[in-house]
C-alpha cells in the first residue's frame, strides 16, 4: 500500500492523539471529513493502524519493580530461539522482549510485583530449561523517558 502525504499526516496525528475527533483530524490535514475518515478506515483495514488505546501511568495505579535482563542462550539454533521466544510471549510479566545482535541474545523487560517475584520468575525459567546460559539483571530505579518514536519515512529528516 502506498502512503501519500495525507496518510502520513493522519498517522502522525493519530499516533500522538488517538482521541482526536473526525472533524478536528480532517481540519488538521486540510481535507473534508468524509475523505479523511475513508483514509483512516483504509489504514485500519490494511493493518497499518492496529488499534487505539490509553497510555496508563502504571506507577500511579500500582507499584511494580521494572527489571531489564540481558540474556544469552547456550545454543544458537532456530529451535533454541523459538523455544525461548515462545516462553517470553507466554509470560505476562514480560512486557518487552528484543532479540539483539552483538554480545547478548535478548534484552527483556520484566514488570514484577517486587524483586522476590522477579527472582522466582528467573528460577522458573532456569528450571524450565529454556537454554539460558547466563543473564544479567538491571533494576530500573527511575524512568527518564517513555514514548513512541515519531513517524519518519526513509530519507526524511528528524
Amino acid at each position: 500500500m502506498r502512503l501519500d502525504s495525507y496518510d502520513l499526516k493522519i498517522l502522525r496525528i493519530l499516533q500522538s492523539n488517538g482521541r482526536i475527533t473526525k472533524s478536528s483530524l480532517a481540519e488538521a490535514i486540510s481535507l473534508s471529513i468524509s475523505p479523511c475518515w475513508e483514509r483512516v478506515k483504509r489504514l485500519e483495514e490494511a493493518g497499518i493502524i492496529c488499534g487505539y488505546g490509553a497510555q496508563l501511568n502504571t506507577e500511579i495505579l500500582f507499584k511494580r519493580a521494572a527489571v531489564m535482563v540481558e540474556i544469552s542462550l547456550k545454543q544458537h539454533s532456530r529451535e533454541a530461539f523459538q523455544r525461548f521466544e515462545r516462553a517470553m510471549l507466554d509470560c505476562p510479566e514480560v512486557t518487552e522482549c528484543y532479540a539483539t545482535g552483538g554480545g547478548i541474545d535478548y534484552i527483556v523487560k520484566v514488570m514484577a510485583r517486587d524483586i522476590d517475584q522477579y527472582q522466582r520468575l528467573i528460577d522458573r525459567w532456569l528450571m524450565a530449561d529454556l537454554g539460558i546460559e547466563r543473564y544479567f539483571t538491571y533494576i530500573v530505579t527511575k524512568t527518564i523517558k517513555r514514548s513512541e518514536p515519531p513517524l519518519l519515512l526513509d530519507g526524511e529528516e528528524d
Side-chain angles (χ1 to χ4, degrees):
M1 176 179 181
R2 286 193 49 88
L3 302 178
D4 64 16
S5 62
Y6 289 111
D7 295 324
L8 295 174
K9 287 177 187 176
I10 288 170
L11 293 172
R12 283 187 179 115
I13 292 168
L14 289 177
Q15 186 179 28
S16 64
N17 182 7
R19 294 184 64 182
I20 192 169
T21 64
K22 292 178 187 180
S23 58
S24 295
L25 179 60
E27 182 180 326
I29 67 165
S30 302
L31 277 180
S32 61
I33 294 174
S34 247
C36 176
W37 202 243
E38 287 172 19
R39 286 173 176 271
V40 170
K41 290 297 179 195
R42 194 181 80 235
L43 292 166
E44 290 172 346
E45 290 168 3
I48 294 171
I49 297 174
C50 56
Y52 299 89
Q55 293 179 348
L56 305 179
N57 186 342
T58 55
E59 293 173 13
I60 291 174
L61 290 172
F62 45 83
K63 279 294 185 196
R64 292 277 188 225
V67 182
M68 303 300 286
V69 189
E70 293 179 349
I71 296 175
S72 296
L73 299 183
K74 296 173 190 170
Q75 297 179 338
H76 293 101
S77 66
R78 185 173 59 145
E79 295 79 18
F81 290 133
Q82 288 175 340
R83 181 176 58 244
F84 179 81
E85 291 170 12
R86 272 194 307 275
M88 296 303 100
L89 290 170
D90 291 341
C91 183
E93 293 90 350
V94 172
T95 58
E96 298 175 46
C97 180
Y98 302 96
T100 59
I104 58 171
D105 297 315
Y106 294 94
I107 297 175
V108 179
K109 181 176 182 183
V110 174
M111 296 299 288
R113 186 174 44 258
D114 52 31
I115 300 306
D116 181 60
Q117 182 192 24
Y118 162 74
Q119 188 57 55
R120 285 184 278 125
L121 176 66
I122 288 290
D123 292 342
R124 281 197 316 269
W125 288 353
L126 294 172
M127 289 175 21
D129 195 25
L130 298 179
I132 297 173
E133 180 176 43
R134 66 180 176 272
Y135 68 95
F136 296 94
T137 299
Y138 303 94
I139 308 301
V140 175
T141 58
K142 179 169 66 169
T143 300
I144 307 302
K145 181 177 180 178
R146 182 179 64 200
S147 65
E148 291 293 319
L151 179 65
L152 293 176
L153 291 179
D154 291 340
E156 191 175 40
E157 295 294 322
D158 293 350

